[in-house]
Amino acid sequence: MMKKIYILSLVAVALLGITSCSDDFLEVQPTEFLSESQIAEAAEKNPDVVAGSVSGIYTLMFETGTGGVGGHDDFGQKGYDIFSDFLSSDMALSISTYGWYRRTTEFTTTTDFTNNVNYMPWRYYYRLIRSANSVINALGGNDVVPELEENKYLMGQAKAIRGYCYFYLTQFYTTDYEPTAEILPIYTDPQQENQPKSTTADVFALIEKDLTDAIDLLDNFQRTAKNEVNKYVAEGLLAYAYGVMGGDKLAQAKALTNDIITNGGFDLMTEDEVVYTGDPSIGGFRDVNTSGWMWGVDITLDNGLDLVSWWGQMDLFTYSYQWAGDRKAIDEGLFNQIPEDDVRKGQFYPDASSGYYLLPYNKFYTAARTVGGQRNVETDYVYMRVAEMYLLNAEVSAKSGDETTAKARLKDLMSLRVPDVTYIDALSGQALLDEIYLQTRIELWGEGKSYLAMKRNKATTVRGANHLSHVGEQIPYNDDRLTFEIPQSEIQNNPYIDSGNK
């Protein structure tokens, strides 16, 4: 086995330890990509060549098998949204027939670095990083601003994707924001050999630089589809990073989220968009054209998604595990905190005697609303919506002492969810922060954001009665069991990484 391993070659070699050797495992980039030399040669003459490579990166975000394992939980970003919701305990595995996610909810996968669950997000995000590095390098390198406007926009998207990947790696593989802790290897060039761990401060410095550059490069960029990162998506990603860093970065997170809210052109989702109210043609979190969605992908039959997909795991109205017997419900304790007059209470199946108890049958659904009906997925994926920015703006405003803005932003959202928002006026200090955090958990349930909020707010959750394990247990945000281990393949193939990996 070769010792000189580039970052995606490392991933390919790691696969050899999982299954038998094949030429397929030596492929270090998706078929949508031309070689780096081909991209570089054509970049200044024909930006469409580079655009095809960037398009390939976006495809990786929802393709199956990008975690290198090929299981029915391996389907890109939305797959890791499910893992993170389980780790936060806001999502309960209430019935387990086929076993998907069972060991993760029991915390046995995240405490065993040999388990492939730890490998999947590592492989996925570093694969995207290498792909982004290839585009950046072909366009001139990290410090270059391309002359052609089209290439400037492509550079901005590639840097935003790299920043997004490193941010999620910090969340999944570290327990807390400790600037001096050595956490992850950094790769900013596709030809780099194995690297040692860099400190939290250095990783976040790269995230900040990439996303700041992306915001500048994407100014005036008019995207053709919402799967592309534009300026406002990059601002949202950077605001999330600043929210983790805290301190004087909170003011910058506030400014970024305010710009998105004020100038991004997105609208908060209305009542009939967030909960089924009788018209199946509206809502269901299935249409990327929804004004409240900032970033998402238009899934079509050509994408070939079926059971192995987010809808195949989460939706009662799809031929899915949710229908067949691996039930994913809202935590009962969280559900009980939703007031009766809150429209979001109606998102979940209320009959405790039913096998569907607390499933999100009125939040996520297909237009036909036929149980188990959608066989081939053509309902869309959401990665980010503007409600997140209202809640994050409220959170960072409250943390930085601006409770007036925090309350106003929280009211903007809650006025669409409950009939009376005057109760917010009386909140201050920790009570206000607690309410913002609670509403973040309720509003964004099942969307992969509860885990991020739990870590930002240094929260402790208590598992409700509808979980299959650890019921009633208090689980703090920095519990080692809530983060993935650096996988065995990385330890074996990177001489700078040892088994002391958290």
Side-chain angles (χ1 to χ4, degrees):
M1 192 69 65
M2 64 183 182
K3 293 294 184 181
K4 186 177 181 181
I5 306 170
Y6 302 139
I7 182 63
L8 248 292
S9 297
L10 183 155
V11 168
V13 172
L15 277 170
L16 297 177
I18 297 171
T19 131
S20 60
C21 184
S22 162
D23 289 344
D24 293 342
F25 298 132
L26 300 178
E27 182 183 0
V28 297
Q29 56 188 2
T31 56
E32 290 89 344
F33 287 87
L34 298 173
S35 70
E36 186 182 324
S37 60
Q38 287 174 307
I39 298 173
E41 185 178 338
E44 292 301 322
K45 299 178 181 178
N46 184 4
D48 287 345
V49 174
V50 191
S53 295
V54 174
S55 176
I57 297 176
Y58 291 129
T59 299
L60 286 176
M61 289 185 66
F62 62 85
E63 272 190 341
T64 61
T66 48
V69 176
H72 289 194
D73 52 1
D74 183 356
F75 45 83
Q77 178 58 45
K78 296 303 292 181
Y80 305 115
D81 286 349
I82 296 175
F83 276 108
S84 69
D85 278 336
F86 275 131
L87 291 173
S88 76
S89 293
D90 280 356
M91 182 180 290
L93 186 65
S94 59
I95 297 176
S96 178
T97 302
Y98 297 93
W100 294 107
Y101 305 100
R102 179 69 180 264
R103 293 187 62 195
T104 296
T105 64
E106 295 170 341
F107 300 138
T108 58
T109 59
T110 53
T111 54
D112 176 9
F113 74 100
T114 68
N115 189 286
N116 282 335
V117 165
N118 298 283
Y119 171 70
M120 288 164 56
W122 187 271
R123 197 256 192 177
Y124 167 77
Y125 289 110
Y126 273 115
R127 185 180 185 189
L128 264 66
I129 286 167
R130 188 194 188 281
S131 298
N133 283 341
S134 292
V135 171
I136 292 166
N137 202 48
L139 290 170
N142 289 287
D143 299 322
V144 169
V145 176
E147 292 183 10
L148 282 181
E149 190 173 63
E150 295 93 332
N151 283 342
K152 186 186 300 183
Y153 296 152
L154 293 168
M155 176 73 89
Q157 291 174 74
K159 285 195 169 186
I161 289 294
R162 189 170 69 184
Y164 139 81
C165 290
Y166 277 115
F167 173 72
Y168 268 93
L169 284 167
T170 67
Q171 298 307 285
F172 281 138
Y173 289 93
T174 67
T175 56
D176 209 343
Y177 180 77
E178 298 178 12
T180 60
E182 296 180 343
I183 57 170
L184 297 167
I186 288 176
Y187 299 90
T188 56
D189 187 292
Q191 302 306 318
Q192 279 178 280
E193 299 177 11
N194 286 318
Q195 295 294 305
K197 294 180 188 176
S198 292
T199 64
T200 301
D202 286 342
V203 176
F204 271 85
L206 175 61
I207 294 168
E208 182 177 18
K209 178 67 163 59
D210 273 350
L211 292 172
T212 301
D213 285 352
I215 291 165
D216 291 339
L217 290 163
L218 294 172
D219 196 30
N220 298 318
F221 171 55
Q222 301 297 317
R223 61 184 177 181
T224 59
K226 281 190 181 177
N227 69 297
E228 299 171 330
V229 174
N230 67 2
K231 169 187 173 182
Y232 298 109
V233 173
E235 286 184 340
L237 292 168
L238 183 55
Y240 270 125
Y242 283 154
V244 171
M245 298 170 78
D248 59 2
K249 297 297 184 182
L250 295 176
Q252 296 181 63
K254 178 183 172 183
L256 290 165
T257 50
N258 184 65
D259 186 49
I260 295 166
I261 292 166
T262 305
N263 301 312
F266 308 104
D267 299 315
L268 286 167
M269 292 176 70
T270 59
E271 174 183 351
D272 56 1
E273 288 177 318
V274 300
V275 62
Y276 176 63
T277 57
D279 184 350
S281 68
I282 302 173
F285 285 77
R286 64 177 188 272
D287 187 356
V288 75
N289 295 310
T290 303
S291 179
W293 290 23
M294 293 176 57
W295 189 24
V297 59
D298 180 14
I299 300 294
T300 68
L301 293 177
D302 290 340
N303 298 131
L305 298 185
D306 45 40
L307 180 65
V308 185
S309 67
W310 184 91
W311 290 93
Q313 284 288 356
M314 287 293 301
D315 178 39
L316 185 63
F317 302 101
T318 295
Y319 183 81
S320 67
Y321 288 102
Q322 185 78 303
W323 160 65
D326 278 356
R327 300 281 160 76
K328 303 160 192 76
I330 186 173
D331 173 87
E332 188 173 23
L334 179 58
F335 175 76
N336 290 338
Q337 292 183 73
I338 306 175
E340 292 299 327
D341 61 357
D342 188 322
V343 299
R344 296 168 300 184
K345 192 90 169 182
Q347 291 177 333
F348 305 98
Y349 202 85
D351 184 359
S353 66
S354 168
Y356 294 163
Y357 182 49
L358 298 187
L359 299 192
Y361 81 124
N362 279 340
K363 179 171 184 177
F364 308 123
Y365 54 86
T366 62
R369 285 185 65 88
T370 301
V371 173
Q374 179 180 225
R375 295 296 297 263
N376 298 298
V377 174
E378 51 185 328
T379 40
D380 299 338
Y381 281 175
V382 58
Y383 299 139
M384 181 187 290
R385 57 188 180 101
V386 77
E388 301 171 38
M389 300 300 111
Y390 279 82
L391 289 160
L392 185 56
N393 184 274
E395 178 187 312
V396 297
S397 295
K399 287 178 177 177
S400 57
D402 183 3
E403 293 192 346
T404 300
T405 297
K407 292 176 185 180
R409 289 305 188 204
L410 185 57
K411 283 183 175 180
D412 287 339
L413 174 68
M414 293 306 294
S415 64
L416 299 174
R417 307 292 180 254
V418 296
D420 184 5
V421 297
T422 57
Y423 78 95
I424 295 173
D425 295 327
L427 300 175
S428 63
Q430 190 60 48
L432 177 58
L433 283 169
D434 289 345
E435 180 66 14
I436 295 167
Y437 176 52
L438 174 63
Q439 296 308 327
T440 299
R441 296 168 66 195
I442 296 170
E443 178 69 21
L444 303 175
W445 186 90
E447 299 176 51
K449 301 299 168 24
S450 292
Y451 181 80
L452 305 181
M454 181 186 188
K455 289 198 162 188
R456 283 197 314 274
N457 290 281
K458 302 184 185 302
T460 295
T461 58
V462 180
R463 281 199 172 179
N466 60 329
H467 288 259
L468 297 178
S469 59
H470 301 286
V471 172
E473 183 176 333
Q474 291 191 349
I475 305 171
Y477 77 98
N478 57 355
D479 191 315
D480 275 350
R481 298 174 299 173
L482 302 191
T483 53
F484 296 108
E485 298 276 355
I486 292 179
Q488 182 180 32
S489 60
E490 179 72 8
I491 295 167
Q492 290 176 333
N493 293 296
N494 185 340
Y496 299 106
I497 306 294
D498 58 33
S499 58
N501 55 62
K502 274 190 188 175

